[in-house]
Amino acid sequence: PLNGDINFDFCNSICTGSATFQVNANTSYTYNITPSVQSYANGNTISIYDACPNTYTLTINTADGCSATTIFTFNEPQNSLT
């Protein structure tokens, strides 16, 4: 399974969203995020940064054949401060 924290602070479509997901796996894994976004893996943690407002799909595949998928969305506020 995946556990995650999502943070965002958007204003006028500036891409500043970030998220961190903890992968609970005892084997190696690969991951894919669509649409593509800046990310990196460090041990069992996947970090996403500079994300634009959008809906993303994160898929994890472990070496022992397990998989997990989560969908998360960064929304831009309806009203911008001026």
Side-chain angles (χ1 to χ4, degrees):
L2 297 169
N3 297 316
D5 294 314
I6 298 174
N7 302 296
F8 54 93
D9 181 21
F10 296 115
C11 184
N12 298 323
S13 298
I14 296 173
C15 301
T16 57
S18 64
T20 303
F21 294 92
Q22 184 69 35
V23 180
N24 298 319
N26 294 322
T27 64
S28 61
Y29 66 90
T30 59
Y31 72 94
N32 185 52
I33 304 169
T34 55
S36 182
V37 65
Q38 298 288 333
S39 66
Y40 64 92
N42 184 6
N44 282 359
T45 302
I46 298 171
S47 298
I48 296 164
Y49 59 98
D50 294 345
C52 296
N54 206 342
T55 297
Y56 297 90
T57 301
L58 168 62
T59 302
I60 307 291
N61 293 298
T62 65
D64 59 0
C66 295
S67 66
T69 299
T70 189
I71 297 171
F72 57 98
T73 301
F74 294 110
N75 292 314
E76 186 164 0
Q78 294 294 324
N79 298 317
S80 298
L81 298 175
T82 57

